[in-house]
Amino acid sequence: MTVPQQDVSARRDGYVAGRDLHLHVAGQQLSLYPEERFATPLTYDRARPIFVQYLNPEIRSCYGRPPTASFTETDLSQALHATRLAVLATDEHLILPASYLFEVPSLSVFLTRIRSLVVRGTVHYSSHIADLDSYVEHKAVEYRSDVRNPYELTPHRSLTDGLVWRPRYAQNTATDIGESWRAALEPDGQLAGTLAGIARRWPVRLGDVETHLREVPERLDGQAFISRFVRATVPVTLEAEERARVDMFLSREYLASYLRDLDAAIVADFDFGDFSCGVRQMQAPLADRVLSARSFDLGLRWLGIHEFVHRGARWRDLLSLRSTAEFGAVATATQHPVLRARLREAVIRGRKRIKFQNAATVQQAHTVVSVVASKLDVTLNQTDPDRRAR
């Protein structure tokens, strides 16, 4: 079977209606066998955009990457690997916060490498303020304590060429983090242990340690709610473990703010780092917004399209591949343990109909996905009496 190559725009159109045929189940329990009732529903929604968190300097620093260092070739290669999976993980867009235009080293190089996605409208940038000059004025105040304030520069308008602006509607990220910060200092909060550790070293002359830490949002006085500014408001040096906990907490709450506001998901759990900052350990629905890159890549290897996706495919090939209902079914299956087992069985069943081992073209990738998706549907029908009845 040969599928003609398509040049598919990322904008919502007719194909979206069939994007998750067979396996798209939101907020419901799915039974494959009468005795298999999942404690956790399958809530992977391909209509959610993907928030590109793996470029964020503060998040990267939580995983040992210097926040101000330029990207090496290895860093860029990893970012592009992640972006290929992000494109395949959604029928929607990729979203960058507007701050990346100024704070991410080598962003211009990255955008050049994904230019084909940009011109197709697949990549959006998000902020509360549409006007870039006004945005820079606002952010310059937040970073006024930096020796080199990234927002003192003239706006890089060329970077936004082709990017679609996507407004944020909720309150700003610093306000969201401030509310979570106070809750985290409660006796059962996420930073209660950190508070206790700091209290043991706290000089009596400085007053009540808990009061001081609760006032950190006010002490920041409009600065960005990031780790180095927070530490500057605390008059004792944080130990390495305390610093790591604070860094991870702030990045996790930053991510949670964007995921809630944009109704977005992230791709994380890469071979080269998790980059989820513990969001998957949060309560639903946020925990359901973290998609596993390892599981995606495992599924691509089973299908024999991993090398094509990460080495041979053009960006338009990936947009074409993800636009099919069959790929939506296969991608969804990679993200659930029981469906992943069914996907493996479908791949084994489908190999007899595929005359090549590894796809080398987008047409071959379409073929193998179509064959496996049909076998996956057969497997589900054979093992789910309720589905057969429908």
Side-chain angles (χ1 to χ4, degrees):
M1 184 177 96
T2 301
V3 179
Q5 184 170 315
Q6 306 172 50
D7 188 1
V8 180
S9 167
R11 294 176 177 81
R12 299 178 69 85
D13 56 37
Y15 79 78
V16 175
R19 63 183 169 243
D20 302 45
L21 185 62
H22 311 318
L23 302 180
H24 181 82
V25 181
Q28 302 176 9
Q29 287 190 329
L30 176 65
S31 173
L32 298 182
Y33 299 103
E35 67 274 13
E36 283 183 343
R37 297 290 173 180
F38 301 160
T40 304
L42 177 62
T43 56
Y44 170 19
D45 187 350
R46 289 181 58 81
R48 288 194 179 104
I50 297 296
F51 183 71
V52 179
Q53 90 291 359
Y54 45 82
L55 296 178
N56 184 282
E58 301 300 320
I59 292 175
R60 290 177 64 82
S61 70
C62 290
Y63 294 89
R65 274 69 167 181
T68 58
S70 296
F71 273 24
T72 65
E73 280 301 316
T74 298
D75 292 329
L76 181 59
S77 176
Q78 291 171 348
L80 293 172
H81 180 106
T83 303
R84 287 175 176 271
L85 294 179
V87 168
L88 293 177
T90 181
D91 294 322
E92 255 272 357
H93 308 95
L94 309 186
I95 302 179
L96 314 172
S99 60
Y100 285 12
L101 300 172
F102 303 91
E103 297 178 32
V104 174
S106 307
L107 183 70
S108 60
V109 177
F110 173 77
L111 290 177
T112 298
R113 296 290 291 273
I114 65 167
R115 185 64 187 166
S116 181
L117 294 178
V118 173
V119 299
R120 284 173 168 79
T122 311
V123 184
H124 293 191
Y125 73 101
S126 183
S127 66
H128 290 87
I129 305 171
D131 179 69
L132 202 59
D133 290 305
S134 299
Y135 176 78
V136 168
E137 290 177 10
H138 172 77
K139 296 295 286 187
V141 174
E142 291 189 359
Y143 283 80
R144 63 186 181 273
S145 296
D146 266 0
V147 175
R148 180 185 174 278
N149 188 332
Y151 295 95
E152 289 179 345
L153 304 174
T154 302
H156 295 276
R157 297 188 182 280
S158 61
L159 285 178
T160 62
D161 183 27
L163 296 177
V164 179
W165 178 63
R166 189 163 185 147
R168 290 200 66 186
Y169 299 104
Q171 58 191 344
N172 64 40
T173 306
T175 303
D176 286 346
I177 297 175
E179 293 175 356
S180 299
W181 174 268
R182 295 183 183 91
L185 294 171
E186 295 292 334
D188 59 346
Q190 297 176 50
L191 295 177
T194 302
L195 170 60
I198 295 174
R200 287 192 288 270
R201 307 190 306 280
W202 191 262
V204 176
R205 59 182 171 78
L206 295 177
D208 180 64
V209 58
E210 184 173 352
T211 299
H212 187 101
L213 292 183
R214 285 184 178 279
E215 292 175 348
V216 162
E218 291 73 27
R219 292 176 185 277
L220 286 172
D221 190 25
Q223 293 179 97
F225 215 130
I226 59 177
S227 185
R228 62 181 179 275
F229 295 160
V230 168
R231 293 197 302 271
T233 70
V234 180
V236 299
T237 302
L238 270 61
E239 295 180 349
E241 184 177 353
E242 294 166 347
R243 176 173 173 169
R245 287 179 180 174
V246 169
D247 290 358
M248 195 68 76
F249 171 82
L250 294 175
S251 289
R252 179 167 59 249
E253 293 303 321
Y254 164 88
L255 271 178
S257 175
Y258 268 97
L259 297 186
R260 291 189 191 100
D261 191 15
L262 300 173
D263 192 25
I266 58 173
V267 179
D269 183 34
F270 303 100
D271 287 340
F272 45 85
D274 180 62
F275 296 105
S276 75
C277 298
V279 172
R280 75 173 77 248
Q281 277 74 52
M282 299 178 77
Q283 293 182 343
L286 289 181
D288 301 325
R289 308 290 183 84
V290 183
L291 305 174
S292 170
R294 292 176 190 265
S295 294
F296 275 128
D297 273 333
L298 179 62
L300 296 178
R301 288 190 180 93
W302 286 348
L303 291 163
I305 64 173
H306 183 273
E307 188 69 16
F308 171 72
V309 163
H310 288 296
R311 300 288 184 270
R314 295 164 294 183
W315 294 112
R316 69 179 184 181
D317 294 335
L318 299 183
L319 292 176
S320 172
L321 187 62
R322 79 170 190 178
S323 72
T324 65
E326 290 84 357
F327 186 83
V330 168
T332 303
T334 68
Q335 298 301 303
H336 193 284
V338 175
L339 291 182
R340 199 157 52 241
R342 301 286 79 81
L343 174 62
R344 181 168 50 208
E345 293 176 9
V347 170
I348 294 171
R349 290 170 179 263
R351 280 178 180 163
K352 297 177 182 178
R353 290 186 51 192
I354 301 171
K355 300 185 182 300
F356 51 86
Q357 186 172 2
N358 293 296
T361 65
V362 67
Q363 289 87 354
Q364 289 182 343
H366 273 292
T367 296
V368 68
V369 168
S370 179
V371 168
V372 170
S374 67
K375 295 298 181 182
L376 180 61
D377 188 44
V378 168
T379 301
L380 290 175
N381 277 312
Q382 288 176 343
T383 57
D384 184 354
D386 294 334
R387 185 178 175 86
R388 285 202 304 271
R390 294 194 296 271

